[in-house]
Amino acid sequence: MAKPAPSRRPPSALRAFLDNEAAGGLVLMGAAALALVVANSPLAPAYFGALKTYLGPLSLGHWINDGLMAVFFLFVGLEIKREVLDGQLSSGPRRILPGLAAVGGMVVPAGIYAALNRGNMEALAGWAIPSATDIAFALGVLSLLGSRVPVSLKVFLTALAIIDDLGAVLIIAAFYTANVSLLDLGLAAAVLAALIAMNRFGVARLLPYLLLGALLWVLVLRSGIHATIAGVALALIIPLRPSPGAVEHEESPLHRLEHALARPVAFLVVPVFGFANAGVPLLGLSWEVLAQPVTLGIALGLSVGKLVGVFGAAAFAIRFGLADVPMGAGWGQLVGVSLLCGIGFTMSLFIGLLAFPDSEALQNQAKIGILAGSLVSGLAGYLVLRVAPRDVPAPDDPARRAARQHG
């Protein structure tokens, strides 16, 4: 009698996330390239004029950077919470390698930038710009390589970028906050308390959370703290029903919201942000702009600092037995992924706007540094991963074979 066909396991949220983000990264590349073309074409006055046009209380640029990006940060917060409680970062051993690599990848680039801009207090405000990793762009590059890159490295890069995003959120909250309105901050705290109470009382419908979340965004915007922090705060309160070792609960409010936001964030929110902020007028600029400390600090921080920080910290953890090389990956591939971490596009652009709110010249230097550093990192990472051999375990290695089967 024929055996029944084995039931197929539904795709995990992580695999769906990887697929969406990879494709979204390619769309983001196109949006960034289009922004550069438009900003250096006869359409430039209309492009920059539209971003400064006011729609109600905010300009279009502010609606994108403060409003639309709050949705991006909501999605980031959902990812962080899910991965920490119920995913690739849910246990100590799983956090060690991407955690140390993420810390190294934030500290070394910031150090390079600070060293090149020492003595200039205005420029030093941009120290965090090269510390960010753009997961959409990086996974977009990985998607071009197909099966040359093992899934374990994609998971490592995803976990590292999520920890990196958490670091960026903390940096924004701690270092890029303007004068605070205590009244609005107090009202925001009251709304936050109401959201926490809803979670505690088991409210599972998303609509009440989203309505209070919108009010929280308005109050945080008025308080002087950057409005995108409201998205992260809301995400951390959305209820999650953990399911270790099993397919994610589709009925969990966090999973429902994350799945609903995945495609709009990947294919609308991030590309629109990239198009609105990647446009740098290059006509008339001299090559000397590349030698400016801000430009050079960001470009070297991303292309060199990320490689040294990520790979150095990962190699340290592996060398001293704190973690293992990702399954099926070789050292050369780890170098390639470390290079891809130097693609800092979305979050780097965002921090650059916060660091230099009153200086268009410094903003443009930062954008050129981000574009140059990200381009070098992306190309170098792609080339290294294209030629680097995979570490394929020997078929008679039972330990590695068992680990692969249960991983």
Side-chain angles (χ1 to χ4, degrees):
M1 186 167 113
K3 293 183 180 178
S7 60
R8 295 186 63 185
R9 177 187 174 97
S12 68
L14 177 62
R15 187 170 297 277
F17 164 74
L18 290 174
D19 292 341
N20 285 340
E21 285 294 306
L26 300 178
V27 175
L28 178 56
M29 292 179 197
L34 181 61
L36 281 172
V37 171
V38 170
N40 293 279
S41 75
L43 296 174
Y47 170 78
F48 291 109
L51 292 174
K52 295 177 181 177
T53 300
Y54 269 77
L55 302 173
L58 300 175
S59 68
L60 177 60
H62 279 104
W63 277 116
I64 292 171
N65 296 333
D66 292 348
L68 203 58
M69 284 301 282
V71 179
F72 168 77
F73 276 84
L74 170 60
F75 185 64
V76 167
L78 295 171
E79 293 168 358
I80 291 171
K81 180 173 180 176
R82 172 176 54 79
E83 292 295 343
V84 168
L85 296 182
D86 194 31
Q88 294 299 320
L89 302 175
S90 59
S91 65
R94 288 181 170 184
R95 298 170 188 162
I96 290 175
L97 187 63
L100 288 177
V103 171
M106 287 187 280
V107 171
V108 176
I112 290 175
Y113 180 92
L116 289 172
N117 288 275
R118 63 187 182 279
N120 185 340
M121 295 307 296
E122 184 181 18
L124 273 176
W127 63 270
I129 296 173
S131 295
T133 293
D134 191 309
I135 187 172
F137 246 126
L139 288 174
V141 174
L142 281 184
S143 72
L144 300 176
L145 293 157
S147 60
R148 290 176 182 272
V149 180
V151 173
S152 64
L153 272 184
K154 297 178 182 179
V155 172
F156 166 72
L157 177 60
T158 302
L160 185 155
I162 287 171
I163 296 171
D164 187 284
D165 283 344
L166 176 59
V169 168
L170 295 175
I171 287 170
I172 291 169
F175 298 100
Y176 295 108
T177 295
N179 296 327
V180 174
S181 164
L182 294 180
L183 174 61
D184 288 307
L185 191 60
L187 293 173
V191 172
L192 203 58
L195 285 164
I196 293 172
M198 286 167 51
N199 182 302
R200 295 290 186 186
F201 283 105
V203 175
R205 292 184 60 203
L206 280 172
L207 184 59
Y209 289 99
L210 297 179
L211 291 175
L212 284 181
L215 177 58
L216 179 66
W217 177 82
V218 172
L219 293 170
V220 172
L221 176 67
R222 288 165 52 94
S223 75
I225 296 174
H226 202 275
T228 51
I229 299 299
V232 179
L234 174 62
L236 298 181
I237 295 168
I238 299 293
L240 169 66
R241 189 179 307 156
S243 53
V247 178
E248 290 87 347
H249 278 293
E250 295 296 334
E251 294 306 311
S252 179
L254 185 143
H255 287 116
R256 293 204 312 271
L257 182 57
E258 185 183 5
H259 291 164
L261 290 177
R263 291 189 180 278
V265 167
F267 297 110
L268 177 64
V269 173
V270 174
V272 167
F273 173 82
F275 179 75
N277 291 283
V280 183
L282 301 176
L283 299 177
L285 289 178
S286 66
W287 287 102
E288 282 132 7
V289 71
L290 293 174
Q292 294 297 318
V294 169
T295 307
L296 196 58
I298 293 170
L300 289 178
L302 289 171
S303 59
V304 177
K306 280 289 187 179
L307 170 63
V308 173
V310 171
F311 182 77
F316 173 87
I318 294 167
R319 172 67 179 80
F320 288 95
L322 300 175
D324 296 323
V325 179
M327 182 65 66
W331 285 101
Q333 290 184 317
L334 195 57
V335 169
V337 167
S338 300
L339 283 165
L340 290 186
C341 289
I343 303 175
F345 191 79
T346 304
M347 196 69 81
S348 291
L349 283 175
F350 189 77
I351 295 176
L353 296 173
L354 299 181
F356 309 125
D358 303 317
S359 175
E360 187 174 343
L362 289 179
Q363 283 185 15
N364 285 336
Q365 290 177 29
K367 290 178 181 180
I368 293 170
I370 292 166
L371 292 171
S374 297
L375 180 62
V376 169
S377 297
L379 288 175
Y382 174 83
L383 293 174
V384 169
L385 286 168
R386 188 166 182 81
V387 301
R390 288 187 61 163
D391 175 32
V392 181
D396 59 347
D397 185 343
R400 294 294 293 274
R401 187 166 62 251
R404 190 166 64 253
Q405 290 171 349
H406 291 88

